[in-house]
Amino acid sequence: MEVTVIVIGDELLIGQVIDTNSGEIARHIAPHGWTVRQVFTVADNADDIRRAIDRAFLTTSVVLTTGGLGPTKDDITKSTLRDIFGGEMRLDETTLQNVRDVMSRRGLKLNTLTEDQAIVPTSCRVIQNRVGTAPIMWFESAGKVLVAMPGVPFETREMFQSAVFPQLLERFPSDMAVEHRTLIVTGITESALAMRLESWENALPGWAHLAYLPRPGLIRLRIDGKSDDRDSLHSEMDALQAQLEDLCSDILLTTADTPLPELLLNELRSHSLTVATAESCTGGNIAATIVSIPGSSDSMLGGIVAYSNEVKQRLLGVDTETLSTNGAVSIPVVEQMAVGAQTATGADVTLATSGIAGPGGAVEGKPVGTVCIACACHGVVRSNTFHFPGNRARVIDRSTMTALIMAVQLIRECCQH
């Protein structure tokens, strides 16, 4: 099943807000064999919204809109949909009670504009929004469905996954079985990986497809398979995964579609280890990335942001002579930072960074993007110097992801016996 996503809002077209809803929708529906055929971004303009919907229904039977459902005058999606699908505007008592409940849980006072969120077209079926005040509206005509959802990302994500998509699956059932297998590899370029897998990929059966999904420092390989025979598909996908694992054995990071910080935490837990960070150029980003995973407190002890040389010396025990001889962005310094973090926190595993994130700060032999990273575990310290391209944010992100990968690999090396 193919769907069209229409993202509505002036703020999207001027770059004030970035659309994340269409990506969330696409990722959630893909494992079920559904795909987003196209995404339209339109202004808060009735004619633009109408044209986008007409165009969408030419090629897809399901249209999902996000945005334009707020209580202010510029949010016109609801009235536009009433004009398209017919009916009259009415006050829905169930929706009004839901709005009151949401506002009460938030400790906010209900006003008339927010109450008006409960006024909906008679041509729609309301799906109550448990996490917001804008009702979700289901319109259906001539076997085609349009679902209008709020633009607030967490509301769209929560309600689409828990309420909207289950009802779409029920409305448009399929006998087709869909399976996915994911491997994450590191230490290889996308082109080199494609050359390595060329023969195997060319021999794939017609019902299977391999997708390359690169991210800084790693590549996600996803095998997609479809068949009307669920049992045979499962066994055949297992066989394809085993073949791909064998071809990538030396660069394989994981066979789970798991975010890097979660992968690190899983490794730490499996060996009853703790972790801490000592960060200079990444400014605490590694620690923040780790603690973004629920339950990280059972492994994460803490982090030290040692931006200045004085803090590197005082809190991490970096030697003054090492700093003066090699400079702060150097392997000897970052290795001492990693060891010093173990002493300061008592952590079993530590990650340390020191680099030049830019746009200034470059010195001879150390251009912007030069980052030294070290990891320590069980008395073993691994370190390397990297040269990351891009702006400051990209250098920090690449440094963070690389440090996490290095830590996972070092834990496996130290704990394999």
Side-chain angles (χ1 to χ4, degrees), residues 78-79 82 86-96 115-128 135-139:
K78 188 188 300 183
S79 59
R82 186 271 319 272
E88 299 176 351
M89 302 301 286
R90 64 178 174 88
L91 176 67
D92 184 90
E93 292 294 340
T94 303
T95 301
L96 179 58
E115 282 185 335
D116 287 347
Q117 292 281 65
I119 298 176
V120 296
T122 56
S123 52
C124 80
R125 174 170 63 84
V126 175
I127 300 174
Q128 299 302 335
I136 297 164
M137 296 173 292
W138 178 296
F139 297 88

Side-chain angles (χ1 to χ4, degrees), residues 216-343:
L218 56 83
I219 301 171
R220 181 179 283 101
L221 291 170
R222 192 188 68 233
I223 313 170
D224 303 319
K226 294 182 180 181
S227 174
D228 55 6
D229 188 337
R230 188 176 300 275
D231 292 336
S232 65
L233 175 64
H234 188 76
S235 60
E236 289 169 337
M237 288 289 285
D238 283 345
L240 290 178
Q241 178 179 338
Q243 294 168 13
L244 191 55
E245 287 182 30
D246 184 59
L247 289 168
C248 298
S249 59
D250 59 319
I251 54 174
L252 183 62
L253 193 61
T254 180
T255 58
D257 194 6
T258 304
L260 272 177
E262 185 174 344
L263 179 62
L264 172 59
L265 288 168
N266 290 342
E267 290 290 334
L268 292 164
R269 291 176 184 131
S270 66
H271 299 290
S272 300
L273 300 174
T274 55
V275 66
T277 63
E279 304 181 58
S280 184
C281 65
T282 48
N285 195 58
I286 299 174
T289 301
I290 294 172
V291 302
S292 69
I293 304 300
S296 57
S297 59
D298 58 7
S299 301
M300 179 66 172
L301 296 188
I304 298 170
V305 178
Y307 213 66
S308 71
N309 287 347
E310 290 78 10
V311 174
K312 290 180 177 69
Q313 294 170 289
R314 189 181 315 120
L315 298 185
L316 297 172
V318 176
D319 184 70
T320 304
E321 185 177 347
T322 302
L323 278 165
S324 60
T325 301
N326 301 279
V329 182
S330 64
I331 291 297
V333 166
V334 81
E335 287 184 346
Q336 289 187 15
M337 290 173 64
V339 173
Q342 287 184 313
T343 302

